[in-house]
């Protein structure tokens, strides 16, 4: 999974080699600057709902817990907790709203047996969070393709990702099936590199928005923590 656009530069040298670079801090918009806390958090409902389903035992109870959280965010915003990493804030929020839902059900908040277990370094939460950011980057790449159907970046990268051992000819067939665009080998090779850089840039932008102070070092550290470094392999960052 690799690719990107925006603050990405793609050039073809005199030797025909395509070089791509990713600007890790192209976007400087941090989650702490969001005008609507509830509106911003809605982007990340999927990992929260999955984590809460594990904690609460059912999707119905997970949704009730999320209702409590979103209601609070609408009325109070991020408040004094507007700092650090968004994924840590949401991990605490998941635990807090799960406890609140147990109280609504008549459970004792101090009951250790019913107390939700969600830690900031939970492997499950980290996986859910990583998958969410990857999914958002894929969807963004797909939207880019819709804007210019003649350059099927999403289809090229997706076919290359799910068929990693396929030849260029086989990838070209898959792309034509997916979006009715016929590419020769030269076009396909160039689009593969462009798509990889485009995806990586989109992914970097996603990471930036989840950090309080998204400088280059912080973004690199988060990329490493999430285990998504392979998306940037072979690119200049």
């Amino acid at each position: 999974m690799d690719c990107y656009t925006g603050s990405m530069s793609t050039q073809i040298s005199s030797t025909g080699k395509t070089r791509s670079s990713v600007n890790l801090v192209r976007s400087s918009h941090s989650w702490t600057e969001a005008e609507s806390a509830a509106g911003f958090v809605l982007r990340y409902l999927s990992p929260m709902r999955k984590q809460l389903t594990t904690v609460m035992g059912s999707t119905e109870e997970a949704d009730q817990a999320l209702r409590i959280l979103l209601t609070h965010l609408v009325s109070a915003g991020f408040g004094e907790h507007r700092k650090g990493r968004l994924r840590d804030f949401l991990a605490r929020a998941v635990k807090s709203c799960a406890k609140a839902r147990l109280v609504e059900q008549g459970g004792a908040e101090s009951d250790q047996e019913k107390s939700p277990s969600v830690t900031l370094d939970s492997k499950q939460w980290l996986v859910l969070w990583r998958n969410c950011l990857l999914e958002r980057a894929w969807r963004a790449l797909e939207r880019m393709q819709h804007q210019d159907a003649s350059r099927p970046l999403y289809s090229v990268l997706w076919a290359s990702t799910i068929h990693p051992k396929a030849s260029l000819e086989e990838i070209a067939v898959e792309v034509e099936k997916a979006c009715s665009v016929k590419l020769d080998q030269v076009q396909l090779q160039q689009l593969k590199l462009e798509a990889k850089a485009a995806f990586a840039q989109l992914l970097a932008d996603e990471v930036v928005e989840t950090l309080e102070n998204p400088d280059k070092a912080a973004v690199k550290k988060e990329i490493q923590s999430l285990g998504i470094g392979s998306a940037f392999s072979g690119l200049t960052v």
Side-chain angles (χ1 to χ4, degrees):
M1 297 182 184
D2 321 339
C3 315
Y4 226 48
T5 149
S7 272
M8 169 202 78
S9 64
T10 303
Q11 300 177 327
I12 301 180
S13 68
S14 59
T15 62
K17 182 179 180 181
T18 300
R19 297 180 180 177
S20 300
S21 64
V22 176
N23 184 350
L24 291 184
V25 289
R26 175 179 74 164
S27 169
S28 60
H29 298 293
S30 168
W31 70 280
T32 59
E33 302 168 339
E35 293 184 5
S36 169
F40 194 85
V41 166
L42 282 173
R43 303 179 181 184
Y44 308 99
L45 277 189
S46 176
M48 295 172 66
R49 189 170 189 255
K50 289 175 181 176
Q51 182 69 74
L52 279 166
T53 298
T54 299
V55 171
M56 305 298 293
S58 72
T59 55
E60 291 78 10
E61 287 303 319
D63 289 341
Q64 289 302 314
L66 281 172
R67 171 188 57 79
I68 295 172
L69 172 60
L70 293 175
T71 299
H72 172 77
L73 290 175
V74 167
S75 62
F78 292 126
E80 62 183 17
H81 304 293
R82 189 188 295 264
K83 55 188 177 182
R85 296 181 301 202
L86 178 61
R87 65 179 170 95
D88 291 342
F89 170 86
L90 293 181
R92 290 189 293 266
V94 163
K95 187 170 185 176
S96 178
C97 66
K99 283 186 177 180
R101 177 55 183 164
L102 288 175
V103 171
E104 278 191 350
Q105 294 175 310
E109 191 171 1
S110 61
D111 187 341
Q112 293 300 313
E113 291 185 2
K114 289 188 175 182
S115 180
S117 176
V118 181
T119 58
L120 300 184
D121 58 354
S122 160
K123 183 176 181 180
Q124 181 187 26
W125 173 244
L126 199 66
V127 170
L128 291 173
W129 185 254
R130 178 176 68 232
N131 289 345
C132 176
L133 296 191
L134 289 169
E135 177 66 18
R136 286 181 56 79
W138 276 111
R139 296 287 74 80
L141 189 65
E142 188 174 27
R143 288 193 295 273
M144 285 177 56
Q145 177 169 312
H146 291 325
Q147 293 171 1
D148 186 356
S150 68
R151 299 177 68 252
L153 297 178
Y154 171 83
S155 295
V156 167
L157 187 63
W158 183 253
S160 301
T161 300
I162 61 177
H163 301 294
K165 296 183 179 180
S167 65
L168 286 176
E169 293 89 343
E170 291 168 332
I171 294 297
V173 170
E174 292 298 321
V175 170
E176 188 172 6
K177 285 180 182 178
C179 58
S180 301
V181 176
K182 189 175 182 62
L183 301 170
D184 60 34
Q185 289 193 32
V186 173
Q187 292 172 320
L188 180 58
Q189 187 62 44
Q190 181 175 335
L191 283 179
K192 279 184 68 175
L193 293 172
E194 290 185 22
K196 176 181 176 65
F199 181 83
Q201 184 67 63
L202 291 167
L203 188 56
D205 288 351
E206 287 292 334
V207 171
V208 163
E209 293 196 347
T210 69
L211 302 177
E212 179 183 7
N213 299 306
D215 57 23
K216 189 172 182 178
V219 175
K220 280 187 173 182
K221 182 178 180 180
E222 183 68 352
I223 287 171
Q224 182 178 10
S225 297
L226 293 174
I228 53 177
S230 62
F232 302 85
S233 63
L235 301 172
T236 302
V237 296

